[in-house]
């Protein structure tokens, strides 16, 4: 429901839109306010184009109808703006999805390429596996365990662990020599050192 108000009575209106307005239609409507900017009536709203007073019931149906009926040019602008606003999230999500798909595709291509055996990363990981075997006193066969391989593949999909023979004939002997050289160097620099031995017997195995 709407009605025209005298020209003189609307010339000094200070209109503000709804504080939680989202629709583009509010560009053409507003509530009357007092000198301090407080809204006078929440159930009465004014058209900024023709100053018609319109009943407001909490939605913008009356406002859109008023524009469509009395101001077709402004109504067209509202429809166009709302369509663009609705299209923005779709376009943004579409571009985001394309970007994520390209990124994941690129990541898949990277993960399918294993490290070169001469690369620094491959050498670091192999050294860590060798330390794991030596310090934990694990059998060399652990590198052939499927669960161990899955663990390494999960940690770094690009790492291809060398075979058992590599560790037993190259990696572990090299670490042995490095460790032995370091111990010999420490002993050579020591003023003195003490040597102890631990002996034990297993009475259960005594055949006497």
């Amino acid at each position: 429901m709407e009605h025209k108000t005298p020209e003189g009575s609307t010339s000094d209106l200070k209109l503000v839109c709804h504080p939680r307005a989202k629709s583009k239609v509010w560009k053409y409507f507003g509530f009357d306010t007092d000198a301090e900017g407080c809204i006078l009536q929440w159930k009465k709203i004014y058209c900024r184009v023709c100053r018609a007073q319109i009943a407001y019931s909490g939605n913008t149906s009356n406002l859109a109808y008023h524009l469509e009926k009395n101001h077709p040019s402004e109504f067209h602008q509202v429809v166009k703006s709302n369509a663009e606003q609705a299209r923005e999230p779709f376009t943004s999500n579409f571009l985001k999805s394309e970007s994520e798909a390209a990124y994941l595709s690129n990541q898949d291509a990277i993960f399918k390429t294993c490290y070169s055996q001469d690369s620094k990363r491959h050498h670091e990981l192999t050294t860590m596996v060798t330390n794991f075997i030596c310090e934990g006193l694990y059998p060399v066969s652990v590198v052939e365990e499927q669960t161990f391989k899955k663990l390494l593949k999960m940690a770094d999909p690009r790492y291809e662990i060398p075979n058992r023979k590599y560790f037993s004939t190259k990696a572990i002997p090299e670490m042995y020599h490095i460790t032995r050289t370091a111990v010999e160097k420490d002993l050579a620099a020591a003023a003195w050192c003490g040597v102890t031995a631990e002996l034990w017997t297993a009475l259960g195995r005594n055949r006497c």
Side-chain angles (χ1 to χ4, degrees):
M1 181 178 180
E2 61 182 78
H3 65 274
K4 297 286 185 178
T5 53
E7 184 67 26
S9 63
T10 61
S11 60
D12 57 349
L13 289 175
K14 297 179 181 179
L15 303 180
V16 296
C17 66
H18 198 289
R20 294 190 298 274
K22 293 183 178 179
S23 174
K24 299 296 184 180
V25 76
W26 284 101
K27 176 181 178 181
Y28 301 100
F29 297 91
F31 296 99
D32 189 19
T33 59
D34 58 19
E36 297 179 353
C38 297
I39 295 175
L40 297 174
Q41 291 190 63
W42 285 94
K43 294 186 177 181
K44 297 292 182 180
I45 197 167
Y46 291 87
C47 173
R48 296 178 186 269
V49 181
C50 64
R51 298 292 178 169
Q53 188 182 80
I54 304 168
Y56 178 67
S57 58
N59 58 62
T60 58
S61 299
N62 285 352
L63 314 186
Y65 177 75
H66 174 82
L67 284 183
E68 183 179 16
K69 179 181 177 182
N70 300 285
H71 312 294
S73 177
E74 286 77 4
F75 179 74
H76 175 72
Q77 290 298 321
V78 170
V79 172
K80 182 179 178 181
S81 297
N82 284 339
E84 292 175 350
Q85 185 179 21
R87 192 184 303 117
E88 285 177 1
F90 172 79
T91 303
S92 177
N93 289 335
F94 177 75
L95 294 175
K96 182 179 179 182
S97 297
E98 278 197 331
S99 176
E100 289 178 347
Y103 172 78
L104 292 175
S105 177
N106 184 49
Q107 290 297 104
D108 287 342
I110 291 175
F111 287 147
K112 287 179 181 179
T113 305
C114 295
Y115 294 118
S116 167
Q117 292 187 359
D118 297 327
S119 68
K120 179 181 177 181
R121 181 60 175 167
H122 187 277
H123 176 71
E124 290 174 344
L125 291 172
T126 301
T127 300
M128 292 301 296
V129 173
T130 307
N131 287 338
F132 170 80
I133 295 172
C134 295
E135 294 181 13
L137 301 179
Y138 291 101
V140 183
S141 59
V142 71
V143 300
E144 296 179 340
E145 294 288 342
Q146 290 302 314
T147 52
F148 187 67
K149 288 184 176 181
K150 288 180 180 179
L151 173 65
L152 294 177
K153 190 62 69 175
M154 179 65 71
D156 193 331
R158 300 182 64 187
Y159 177 61
E160 189 72 28
I161 186 171
N163 58 31
R164 175 179 178 177
K165 183 178 180 180
Y166 174 85
F167 285 97
S168 61
T169 62
K170 183 174 177 61
I172 294 177
E174 285 181 354
M175 181 160 289
Y176 166 77
H177 289 299
I178 292 173
T179 305
R180 176 171 177 168
T181 300
V183 172
E184 289 176 345
K185 183 178 179 180
D186 289 341
L187 289 175
W192 58 270
C193 67
V195 178
T196 61
E198 181 180 352
L199 302 177
W200 62 276
T201 58
L203 298 178
R205 296 185 179 183
N206 192 340
R207 298 181 179 181
C208 297

